Amino acid sequence: MSNLIKLHGVGSDNMHNSRRYFVIPITYEDTKDLILNVHYARRMPSVSYAFGLYRDNVYGLQGICTFGSPASPWLCKGVCGEEHKSKVLELNRVVLVNNRPNEASLLVARSIALLPKPKVLVSYADTAHDHVGYVYQATNWLYTGATKPRTDIATVNGKHPRHHAGDRTKRVYRSAKHRYVFMHGNKKDKRLLTKCLRYGTESYPKKETIQ
């Protein structure tokens, strides 16, 4: 039990229930069932770190949070520059079995706490699935605007465009995504990385503001 981390919620009303939750590092194999059968993308991303959410240490795996290398090398350079590109990780999956109140923010916050420091974390909320990124807002990420809709080269079986077969005439639509950034480290690390951030920051979006 010493390697389990108890999760604490935000606000006294959530304290009782949040104490019933724990997060622990899990394996790549542990993540497959929820990623492939529950998450809308239905494909495995790059996974460098994976964490599982447990309730009462009895009910089994209640959710997973994974971090991996961004698919785009340009993103690694673009966030905080060439000097810090090796620190960039993408939070690429958050999947919950029941999605009870506060579970997502608890899982994300405590998963980040288990990561090595310093890291520059990036994640996206897909507008095509009516996602705004409330979990990132609840855990104090910086909002850096939305990507533009675009088309990519079509791939087989839903794989990422980097795995395309070379037929550039077949294109698929990629929706706009809200982009969030989180600086993980001590106070000095956070100040330095925030100073190096190349994206402008904006107010958090809400669903009613999306066109």
Side-chain angles (χ1 to χ4, degrees):
M1 291 289 291
S2 62
N3 59 344
L4 293 176
I5 292 185
K6 188 169 287 189
L7 302 176
H8 297 281
V10 178
S12 58
D13 291 343
N14 296 325
M15 289 301 291
H16 176 71
N17 287 333
S18 66
R19 287 174 179 152
R20 303 172 66 184
Y21 288 94
F22 300 86
V23 66
I24 189 173
I26 57 176
T27 68
Y28 179 85
E29 291 297 320
D30 292 333
T31 69
K32 281 187 173 180
D33 180 52
L34 289 181
I35 290 177
L36 295 177
N37 297 310
V38 178
H39 193 271
Y40 65 84
R42 296 292 196 273
R43 61 178 175 82
M44 294 299 297
S46 164
V47 177
S48 302
Y49 302 93
F51 304 98
L53 179 69
Y54 294 87
R55 190 168 187 242
D56 288 338
N57 201 29
V58 173
Y59 294 93
L61 189 62
Q62 296 297 294
I64 60 99
C65 181
T66 63
F67 302 81
S69 300
S72 169
W74 302 110
L75 173 64
C76 295
K77 298 177 183 179
V79 182
C80 290
E82 181 81 24
E83 180 183 357
H84 301 293
K85 67 179 183 180
S86 63
K87 300 181 181 73
V88 178
L89 282 175
E90 182 178 351
L91 192 167
N92 47 31
R93 295 291 186 274
V94 176
V95 191
L96 295 164
V97 174
N98 296 298
N99 198 17
R100 298 182 182 93
N102 303 308
E103 282 186 339
S105 57
L106 290 172
L107 174 57
V108 168
R110 296 308 180 183
S111 295
I112 291 173
L114 290 172
L115 290 170
K117 302 174 183 180
K119 294 293 181 186
V120 178
L121 307 178
V122 181
S123 197
Y124 297 89
D126 194 343
T127 62
H129 294 272
D130 204 24
H131 294 171
V132 175
Y134 289 136
V135 63
Y136 309 118
Q137 297 177 21
T139 47
N140 299 314
W141 292 54
L142 300 172
Y143 177 63
T144 62
T147 64
K148 294 181 179 179
R150 68 183 194 278
T151 61
D152 281 327
I153 302 171
T155 59
V156 179
N157 298 326
K159 291 184 178 181
H160 193 275
R162 69 176 181 272
H163 300 299
H164 70 84
D167 186 351
R168 297 179 179 273
T169 65
K170 296 180 179 179
R171 314 287 296 187
V172 292
Y173 175 77
R174 302 293 179 189
S175 56
K177 295 177 175 62
H178 295 292
R179 183 180 56 225
Y180 291 85
V181 176
F182 188 92
M183 307 307 183
H184 175 55
N186 58 34
K187 290 183 179 179
K188 182 179 178 181
D189 293 331
K190 290 180 179 180
R191 284 197 300 267
L192 172 62
L193 293 172
T194 301
K195 186 176 180 180
C196 292
L197 180 64
R198 293 186 169 187
Y199 299 135
T201 58
E202 302 177 16
S203 299
Y204 287 149
K206 306 298 179 186
K207 282 191 177 181
E208 60 269 20
T209 66
I210 299 173
Q211 302 298 320

mmCIF file of all heavy atoms in Angstrom, residues 80-98:
data_model
loop_
_atom_site.group_PDB
_atom_site.id
_atom_site.type_symbol
_atom_site.label_atom_id
_atom_site.label_comp_id
_atom_site.label_asym_id
_atom_site.label_seq_id
_atom_site.Cartn_x
_atom_site.Cartn_y
_atom_site.Cartn_z
ATOM 1 N N CYS A 80 8.137 25.440 -25.960
ATOM 2 C CA CYS A 80 9.074 26.259 -25.171
ATOM 3 C C CYS A 80 10.445 26.375 -25.816
ATOM 4 O O CYS A 80 11.412 26.748 -25.151
ATOM 5 C CB CYS A 80 9.218 25.680 -23.765
ATOM 6 S SG CYS A 80 7.740 25.868 -22.742
ATOM 7 N N GLY A 81 10.550 26.028 -27.089
ATOM 8 C CA GLY A 81 11.806 26.192 -27.796
ATOM 9 C C GLY A 81 12.673 24.944 -27.820
ATOM 10 O O GLY A 81 12.422 23.953 -27.127
ATOM 11 N N GLU A 82 13.711 25.009 -28.646
ATOM 12 C CA GLU A 82 14.641 23.894 -28.849
ATOM 13 C C GLU A 82 15.265 23.419 -27.544
ATOM 14 O O GLU A 82 15.435 22.217 -27.318
ATOM 15 C CB GLU A 82 15.745 24.346 -29.813
ATOM 16 C CG GLU A 82 16.786 23.287 -30.139
ATOM 17 C CD GLU A 82 16.334 22.314 -31.210
ATOM 18 O OE1 GLU A 82 15.447 22.688 -32.007
ATOM 19 O OE2 GLU A 82 16.867 21.192 -31.249
ATOM 20 N N GLU A 83 15.594 24.337 -26.671
ATOM 21 C CA GLU A 83 16.284 24.003 -25.429
ATOM 22 C C GLU A 83 15.480 23.075 -24.532
ATOM 23 O O GLU A 83 16.035 22.257 -23.792
ATOM 24 C CB GLU A 83 16.618 25.291 -24.674
ATOM 25 C CG GLU A 83 17.338 25.081 -23.346
ATOM 26 C CD GLU A 83 17.584 26.378 -22.600
ATOM 27 O OE1 GLU A 83 17.242 27.445 -23.147
ATOM 28 O OE2 GLU A 83 18.115 26.326 -21.480
ATOM 29 N N HIS A 84 14.154 23.179 -24.608
ATOM 30 C CA HIS A 84 13.301 22.423 -23.690
ATOM 31 C C HIS A 84 12.474 21.343 -24.383
ATOM 32 O O HIS A 84 11.570 20.777 -23.778
ATOM 33 C CB HIS A 84 12.370 23.387 -22.954
ATOM 34 C CG HIS A 84 13.082 24.432 -22.166
ATOM 35 N ND1 HIS A 84 13.839 24.141 -21.042
ATOM 36 C CD2 HIS A 84 13.185 25.788 -22.364
ATOM 37 C CE1 HIS A 84 14.351 25.252 -20.561
ATOM 38 N NE2 HIS A 84 13.985 26.263 -21.343
ATOM 39 N N LYS A 85 12.792 21.035 -25.638
ATOM 40 C CA LYS A 85 11.966 20.081 -26.380
ATOM 41 C C LYS A 85 11.974 18.686 -25.761
ATOM 42 O O LYS A 85 10.979 17.964 -25.858
ATOM 43 C CB LYS A 85 12.430 20.007 -27.847
ATOM 44 C CG LYS A 85 13.816 19.415 -28.052
ATOM 45 C CD LYS A 85 14.168 19.354 -29.534
ATOM 46 C CE LYS A 85 15.530 18.695 -29.758
ATOM 47 N NZ LYS A 85 15.882 18.643 -31.206
ATOM 48 N N SER A 86 13.060 18.307 -25.096
ATOM 49 C CA SER A 86 13.131 16.966 -24.493
ATOM 50 C C SER A 86 12.242 16.837 -23.262
ATOM 51 O O SER A 86 11.989 15.730 -22.780
ATOM 52 C CB SER A 86 14.576 16.629 -24.106
ATOM 53 O OG SER A 86 15.051 17.523 -23.115
ATOM 54 N N LYS A 87 11.741 17.953 -22.761
ATOM 55 C CA LYS A 87 10.896 17.932 -21.563
ATOM 56 C C LYS A 87 9.413 17.786 -21.906
ATOM 57 O O LYS A 87 8.579 17.616 -21.012
ATOM 58 C CB LYS A 87 11.084 19.220 -20.753
ATOM 59 C CG LYS A 87 12.500 19.482 -20.266
ATOM 60 C CD LYS A 87 12.560 20.767 -19.461
ATOM 61 C CE LYS A 87 13.960 21.081 -18.963
ATOM 62 N NZ LYS A 87 14.841 21.530 -20.050
ATOM 63 N N VAL A 88 9.071 17.855 -23.184
ATOM 64 C CA VAL A 88 7.663 17.907 -23.575
ATOM 65 C C VAL A 88 7.035 16.513 -23.594
ATOM 66 O O VAL A 88 7.568 15.570 -24.182
ATOM 67 C CB VAL A 88 7.504 18.567 -24.960
ATOM 68 C CG1 VAL A 88 6.037 18.578 -25.380
ATOM 69 C CG2 VAL A 88 8.053 19.990 -24.931
ATOM 70 N N LEU A 89 5.895 16.396 -22.921
ATOM 71 C CA LEU A 89 5.070 15.193 -22.935
ATOM 72 C C LEU A 89 3.643 15.599 -23.281
ATOM 73 O O LEU A 89 3.195 16.685 -22.910
ATOM 74 C CB LEU A 89 5.059 14.494 -21.579
ATOM 75 C CG LEU A 89 6.251 13.641 -21.164
ATOM 76 C CD1 LEU A 89 6.043 13.163 -19.726
ATOM 77 C CD2 LEU A 89 6.414 12.445 -22.099
ATOM 78 N N GLU A 90 2.937 14.707 -23.949
ATOM 79 C CA GLU A 90 1.525 14.947 -24.213
ATOM 80 C C GLU A 90 0.676 14.066 -23.308
ATOM 81 O O GLU A 90 0.889 12.850 -23.233
ATOM 82 C CB GLU A 90 1.184 14.648 -25.671
ATOM 83 C CG GLU A 90 -0.281 14.924 -26.000
ATOM 84 C CD GLU A 90 -0.628 14.667 -27.455
ATOM 85 O OE1 GLU A 90 0.293 14.440 -28.268
ATOM 86 O OE2 GLU A 90 -1.830 14.690 -27.785
ATOM 87 N N LEU A 91 -0.246 14.674 -22.601
ATOM 88 C CA LEU A 91 -1.273 13.897 -21.905
ATOM 89 C C LEU A 91 -2.261 13.488 -22.990
ATOM 90 O O LEU A 91 -3.026 14.305 -23.484
ATOM 91 C CB LEU A 91 -1.956 14.738 -20.822
ATOM 92 C CG LEU A 91 -2.845 13.986 -19.816
ATOM 93 C CD1 LEU A 91 -3.189 14.880 -18.624
ATOM 94 C CD2 LEU A 91 -4.124 13.469 -20.448
ATOM 95 N N ASN A 92 -2.200 12.217 -23.377
ATOM 96 C CA ASN A 92 -2.921 11.806 -24.579
ATOM 97 C C ASN A 92 -4.156 10.938 -24.353
ATOM 98 O O ASN A 92 -4.909 10.695 -25.290
ATOM 99 C CB ASN A 92 -1.966 11.112 -25.563
ATOM 100 C CG ASN A 92 -1.092 10.070 -24.911
ATOM 101 O OD1 ASN A 92 -1.486 9.433 -23.931
ATOM 102 N ND2 ASN A 92 0.118 9.877 -25.447
ATOM 103 N N ARG A 93 -4.366 10.480 -23.136
ATOM 104 C CA ARG A 93 -5.590 9.741 -22.847
ATOM 105 C C ARG A 93 -5.993 9.921 -21.382
ATOM 106 O O ARG A 93 -5.161 9.789 -20.476
ATOM 107 C CB ARG A 93 -5.436 8.239 -23.114
ATOM 108 C CG ARG A 93 -5.205 7.829 -24.558
ATOM 109 C CD ARG A 93 -6.428 8.052 -25.423
ATOM 110 N NE ARG A 93 -6.236 7.536 -26.764
ATOM 111 C CZ ARG A 93 -5.671 8.202 -27.773
ATOM 112 N NH1 ARG A 93 -5.243 9.461 -27.561
ATOM 113 N NH2 ARG A 93 -5.536 7.662 -28.964
ATOM 114 N N VAL A 94 -7.261 10.227 -21.175
ATOM 115 C CA VAL A 94 -7.906 10.135 -19.864
ATOM 116 C C VAL A 94 -9.187 9.354 -20.102
ATOM 117 O O VAL A 94 -10.053 9.792 -20.865
ATOM 118 C CB VAL A 94 -8.236 11.515 -19.267
ATOM 119 C CG1 VAL A 94 -8.997 11.351 -17.945
ATOM 120 C CG2 VAL A 94 -6.971 12.326 -19.032
ATOM 121 N N VAL A 95 -9.289 8.181 -19.497
ATOM 122 C CA VAL A 95 -10.451 7.323 -19.701
ATOM 123 C C VAL A 95 -10.971 6.877 -18.345
ATOM 124 O O VAL A 95 -10.200 6.399 -17.506
ATOM 125 C CB VAL A 95 -10.106 6.080 -20.555
ATOM 126 C CG1 VAL A 95 -11.386 5.361 -20.975
ATOM 127 C CG2 VAL A 95 -9.275 6.448 -21.776
ATOM 128 N N LEU A 96 -12.273 7.004 -18.132
ATOM 129 C CA LEU A 96 -12.898 6.619 -16.873
ATOM 130 C C LEU A 96 -13.983 5.575 -17.108
ATOM 131 O O LEU A 96 -14.698 5.627 -18.120
ATOM 132 C CB LEU A 96 -13.496 7.837 -16.182
ATOM 133 C CG LEU A 96 -12.487 8.892 -15.717
ATOM 134 C CD1 LEU A 96 -13.190 10.204 -15.406
ATOM 135 C CD2 LEU A 96 -11.715 8.392 -14.500
ATOM 136 N N VAL A 97 -14.119 4.661 -16.176
ATOM 137 C CA VAL A 97 -15.133 3.615 -16.289
ATOM 138 C C VAL A 97 -16.522 4.194 -16.045
ATOM 139 O O VAL A 97 -17.458 3.957 -16.806
ATOM 140 C CB VAL A 97 -14.845 2.465 -15.302
ATOM 141 C CG1 VAL A 97 -15.978 1.441 -15.314
ATOM 142 C CG2 VAL A 97 -13.520 1.788 -15.634
ATOM 143 N N ASN A 98 -16.680 4.963 -14.979
ATOM 144 C CA ASN A 98 -17.994 5.488 -14.607
ATOM 145 C C ASN A 98 -18.096 7.010 -14.686
ATOM 146 O O ASN A 98 -19.185 7.551 -14.680
ATOM 147 C CB ASN A 98 -18.339 5.048 -13.179
ATOM 148 C CG ASN A 98 -18.461 3.545 -13.069
ATOM 149 O OD1 ASN A 98 -19.310 2.933 -13.712
ATOM 150 N ND2 ASN A 98 -17.594 2.932 -12.266
#
